[in-house]
Amino acid sequence: MYAFQSPVQDSHSKRRTAILFSLVLVVHLVVLPAHELGSDIGLRSFAHLNLRIALFAFLFATLESVLINLWVQLIRKKTHCRTAPAAGGIVIGIVSPLLCCTPLLPTILSFIAILFPSAVSGMGLKIQYAVNVYQTELLLLALVLLLFAIVQNAWHLNSGDVMAGHHKE
């Protein structure tokens, strides 16, 4: 619970969290419909929003703004941030909708095919099919990774606060 209370502790944190939330929400509202629109993302994405996409965008924006706020607090305390699960969650949340129906995956695989031609033969369609079929599961995985990163960082921030209190005595 500490992780979700810390972004609203003071006016700077509230403002930072609100700005981050707004920016990340817009990014996700534009990118998440990409699996339906293909490479035609942008303001046209808003016409293709539905409840599922809006809910995922809201959850991603909430978790990412809380997480970034925790990172700011950890950096201010000169404490190490836990970024691996967060990076996985953010990458999956933003890139997976783009892999389905955009030329991103074929472009990436063509560069890999230059070095390893037999390694990627026929793999592009299989990956695009899997991403399309399991889009919801991939987004849920991304949310779980973000939540795990929040728990890790909040625990680390909390344990640092507890340790600081013990050193004062």
Side-chain angles (χ1 to χ4, degrees):
M1 269 319 201
Y2 175 77
F4 292 98
Q5 293 170 350
S6 66
V8 292
Q9 284 182 347
D10 58 64
S11 63
H12 293 295
S13 294
K14 286 179 187 177
R15 191 172 328 123
R16 181 177 52 242
T17 303
I19 291 169
L20 284 169
F21 177 82
S22 302
L23 293 173
V24 174
L25 181 64
V26 170
V27 167
H28 283 290
L29 287 173
V30 169
V31 172
L32 285 175
H35 93 278
E36 295 173 11
L37 296 172
S39 60
D40 191 21
I41 60 171
L43 295 179
R44 294 185 61 187
S45 299
F46 291 115
H48 296 278
L49 292 177
N50 57 35
L51 182 60
R52 179 181 144 306
I53 291 171
L55 180 63
F56 273 116
F58 177 80
L59 291 172
F60 275 114
T62 300
L63 294 179
E64 289 172 9
S65 60
V66 167
L67 183 62
I68 292 170
N69 206 338
L70 284 173
W71 285 343
V72 169
Q73 290 179 24
L74 285 166
I75 290 169
R76 283 188 177 159
K77 292 185 176 199
K78 296 179 172 81
T79 306
H80 181 68
C81 300
R82 306 290 185 231
T83 57
I90 292 170
V91 168
I92 291 171
I94 291 177
V95 174
S96 71
L98 298 173
L99 291 180
C100 169
C101 305
T102 65
L104 181 65
L105 184 64
T107 303
I108 292 169
L109 290 176
S110 66
F111 284 116
I112 295 171
I114 293 170
L115 300 172
F116 309 104
S118 62
V120 294
S121 64
M123 198 166 75
L125 290 176
K126 291 176 186 173
I127 293 174
Q128 283 183 317
Y129 174 77
V131 167
N132 191 28
V133 170
Y134 299 110
Q135 182 70 39
T136 302
E137 290 81 358
L138 286 170
L139 294 177
L140 288 172
L141 172 65
L143 290 173
V144 167
L145 286 171
L146 287 170
L147 196 56
F148 180 66
I150 288 171
V151 169
Q152 257 189 336
N153 284 289
W155 182 82
H156 202 64
L157 186 65
N158 241 356
S159 68
D161 289 344
V162 171
M163 293 303 245
H166 286 299
H167 291 302
K168 288 180 185 176
E169 294 180 276

